[in-house]
Amino acid sequence: MDTLLLQILNGLDKGSAYALIALGLTLIFGTLGVVNFAHGALFMLGSFCAVTFSRLLSLSSVKLDETKLDFLGNPTEIKTPYVEAWFGPETGAAIIDWAVPLSLLLAIPFMILVGFVMERGLIKHFYKRPHADQILVTFGLAIVLQEIIKAIFGANPIPTPAPDIFKGSFDFGLALGMDANKIIYPYWRMVYFSFSLVVIGAVFSFLQFTTFGMVVRAGMADRETVGLLGIDIDKRFTFMFGIAAAVAGVAGAMYTPINSPNYHMGMDFLVLSFVVVVVGGMGSLPGAVLAGFMLGILESFASMNWIKDIIPGIDQIIIYLVAIIILLTRPRGLMGRKGVMEE
Amino acid sequence: MLGLNKKDTKFLLIVIALTMLTPFLTQPFAENSGLAQFNAGYPDLMQRFAIYGIFAIGFNILFGLTGYLSFGHAAFLGVGSYSAVWMMKLLTVNVIPGIILAIVVSGLFALVIGYVSLRRSGIYFSILTLALAQMSFNLAYSVLTPITNGETGLQLALDDPRILMAKNTSGSLPTTNLFGLSMNSSAKWEVLGHVFTFNVGYYFCGVIAVIAFYISLRIFRSPFGLMLRAVKTNQTRMSYTGLNARPYTLAAFVISGMYAGLAGGLLASMDPLAGAERMQWTASGEVVIMTILGGAGTLMGPVLGAGFIKYFENIFSKINDTVLHGWFNFLPDGLENLLVTLIHPFVGKGWHLTLGALFMLVVIFLPGGLMEGGQRITKWIKNKRSGGGDPNSNKTHAPKPTPHVAE
């Protein structure tokens, strides 16, 4: 029982990341019909928003402190981040500490902007071209974004810690009346999971309960008719692209404490998120979310030692294996609509 | 000649001539001139031109003709490499058995993967090949360590059996050879400050590349090739005529997988080691870029793209700050530094950025790749010469050429 619970918990944070990326991916696919191979790069951009923000906040001035002397008797240099200088050491340090969650402030508008520019500048011209061309051009874009990040931030992973109060972990076992230290779960992973639920909920309710969402859903079903009704559907779809980019971006920003951002994380997550989308069903939002969590949890189960003893290496390939089986037996995926992209 | 018409024979002869003269063509600058770093005539790189040319030709048979975009072709390259190295470990370091095994094993592997993934088309096919190849990469990296030697990579060792060879007493690893002709031996010819290197390995790869090119030429001109093009143009219509496209696409998939395996086997023959990173999906992306950049569906395009990318990878990436400063040192200091800072992200370590941007530009504006670009330029020049009076140049009512099917 406790191992079961532990594996489910372990799978949740990875599953949340998969679900969020896949949600954006399938949003773009469902609305615009574009296969976006640059979506992993958007996730990575979000991560580097967090890095940028933490760097911006910790920008510091170097002063000579006359009161403290080093062993040679010279005044020592001390670095004071500007935020600390302005808000006092305690508040300033706290602000710096919150860099990752605060980076959402930066990531959301930035990613929406990136989404806008991408859609208007590039994707717009590819609606009528075959899917292969869309894959190719977005693949090229992914390479370009990745290389730009590499040129600016370097090739090494950049550790970005979570805020101090989320350090440490929560003892689930104790809370459920079991032995202490049986099931411990880092706070930040809990935060990430609940955050992803909030984002998913927000996207769904936006699509479900607002007029804007209603129009977009109508446009997903029949783009031309909605256009004929006198609604500027293109503008709304551009906005949807921005939202999809922002979902991937904030997912990346919040994921940074779990996985130090590096320039190839986009490509690493891209393949997996495509697999997730395919398993969930192309163009199905609930499918993407469900498949994301399911595959994340499956992956953590497969990495248990006794399973690895029976089938060695299963933890490496379980996701692909599931995807291949699903694609071959039920090409529309778990919750895909009939007729979308089927042969 | 050889079952080709006159035009194709001429084309083939040109390709043969280009292959044979590569050591001259890639070495245009004198050894001690400032431009010597653009010379590409060293054996390692010339071999890569030929090998990746073969890889791209094979990929083009699948993608250029049938339009099935596979994102997992590097898996076959890796499988070919592994099998060739195993042959060299077990039997002999003669390259021929290794290459034959590489082709056979990768063909069988492609048959399995193709059988599974060709049940779907379009983007599903791309994702299936991507998933299958990534799965093979992960397996090669971890579980199959007894066969693939995991992350260290497979290489020759002193105590390998090599049952067809005499007992190794020299205490050093044997070099790969072709019936005694060592692959890394080369002849040098110095003339007028130029040094031309004629490498056995390169000529071996070059001959195989010409054969591979000839086979792909025949496939392009055959009824089978026509059938593949029909699959690309309209598969639904084709199935209405009562034809089952599956056997044809599967055959194309296996053939291109065998080409990739041949390329992998050659890579291992030139340098007997094989690593899992050769199978990663970004490596598959590279061959896609090569083919598109050169011109998918054309005969010469993929080879051109492969040569272009390998040239850039090896030459362009060597341009660093010092070299840039050397180029611009005739300018005033401020301007020099500005130019160097501006150019620096695009060359040297950042050459992937140039490649990615170039690739995007080609996909957006030039779907036929460099070949189409070349054709457009020649047409433009011809039109200028004839004063624009060419009646064929009136494009307003002519149908547009379908992308990727261009010859």
Side-chain angles (χ1 to χ4, degrees), chain A residues 161-212:
Chain A
D164 268 341
I165 60 162
F166 290 125
K167 289 213 177 102
S169 35
F170 179 71
D171 202 328
F172 258 103
L174 213 56
L176 293 175
M178 283 183 265
D179 297 340
N181 288 331
K182 250 292 170 52
I183 307 176
I184 47 173
Y185 196 57
Y187 282 121
W188 186 260
R189 295 188 173 213
M190 279 168 70
V191 172
Y192 190 73
F193 173 60
S194 11
F195 164 79
S196 76
L197 286 188
V198 170
V199 172
I200 291 166
V203 171
F204 271 90
S205 32
F206 178 70
L207 279 175
Q208 205 68 38
F209 302 123
T210 60
T211 328
F212 190 96

Side-chain angles (χ1 to χ4, degrees), chain A residues 35 122 129 135-136 139-141 144 147 267 271 274 278 282 312-313 316-317 320 324 327-328 331 341 343, chain B residues 71 116 119-121 123-124 127-128 132 134-135 138 142-143 281 288 292 352-353 356-357 359-360 363-364:
Chain A
V35 185
L122 184 68
R129 307 245 306 240
I135 293 180
L136 294 174
F139 178 56
L141 183 67
V144 169
E147 289 304 313
M267 292 290 190
V271 182
F274 258 104
V278 166
M282 273 269 171
Q316 305 273 340
I317 58 167
Y320 304 110
I324 289 159
L327 263 179
L328 292 179
M341 292 297 291
E343 279 176 279
Chain B
F71 252 104
V116 173
R119 300 165 76 100
R120 300 279 161 260
S121 63
I123 158 173
Y124 281 108
I127 295 173
L128 259 178
L132 281 164
Q134 198 66 4
M135 200 165 98
N138 279 342
S142 61
V143 194
W281 83 270
V288 176
I292 306 281
H352 270 110
L353 182 59
F359 176 64
M360 275 178 75
V363 174
I364 296 170

